[in-house]
Amino acid sequence: QVQLVESGGGLVQDGGSLRLSCAASGNILKINTMGWYRQAPGKQRELVATVTSGGSTNYADSVKGRFTISRDNAKNTVYLQMNSLKPEDTAVYYCNAAVLTIIKSNLEVWGQGTLVTVSS
């Protein structure tokens, strides 16, 4: 009933920038925390950044100072601005949201993922 669709991934050079977007749709009353996670080949999925409904943010140490997470509540969308990209940032990036619906108070939803490749 609720889905997340990511966009904005692609191929970028070392030091380049990309902006990822994730739009939520469905029978949504409220979106609580939204976040971005990533999974590189052969590695576990890891947290990149989160933002609460109140605007508090949390970042992995590896991306602090380079990535910025933001949200547009009117559009039910979360963004990840990625600057100074490094080859080690290469991964599939997944959007996550904790959603309040009419029938569930804590529905966790994942997007399909978008691939970010940073060339050296």
Side-chain angles (χ1 to χ4, degrees):
Q1 196 168 33
V2 178
Q3 67 176 47
L4 306 176
V5 179
E6 301 106 330
S7 62
L11 175 64
V12 65
Q13 293 185 32
D14 191 352
S17 297
L18 285 173
R19 187 164 106 131
L20 306 183
S21 299
C22 171
S25 62
N27 300 121
I28 299 168
L29 298 179
K30 176 181 171 63
I31 303 177
N32 296 311
T33 301
M34 303 186 78
W36 290 94
Y37 296 73
R38 67 186 182 188
Q39 188 166 22
K43 297 184 178 180
Q44 290 193 332
R45 188 173 299 185
E46 65 176 354
L47 182 147
V48 177
T50 60
V51 57
T52 69
S53 60
S56 297
T57 58
N58 183 48
Y59 296 92
D61 288 341
S62 60
V63 307
K64 286 181 179 177
R66 301 188 297 121
F67 292 10
T68 302
I69 189 170
S70 61
R71 62 192 288 171
D72 185 335
N73 291 329
K75 297 181 179 180
N76 286 336
T77 299
V78 63
Y79 306 94
L80 186 68
Q81 179 66 47
M82 305 185 294
N83 299 324
S84 301
L85 282 161
K86 306 174 182 179
E88 51 262 45
D89 295 318
T90 295
V92 177
Y93 284 70
Y94 296 91
C95 180
N96 174 269
V99 179
L100 173 66
T101 70
I102 192 68
I103 61 172
K104 188 171 176 61
S105 62
N106 186 27
L107 177 64
E108 187 166 322
V109 184
W110 290 89
Q112 83 286 351
T114 185
L115 177 63
V116 172
T117 302
V118 184
S119 65
S120 60

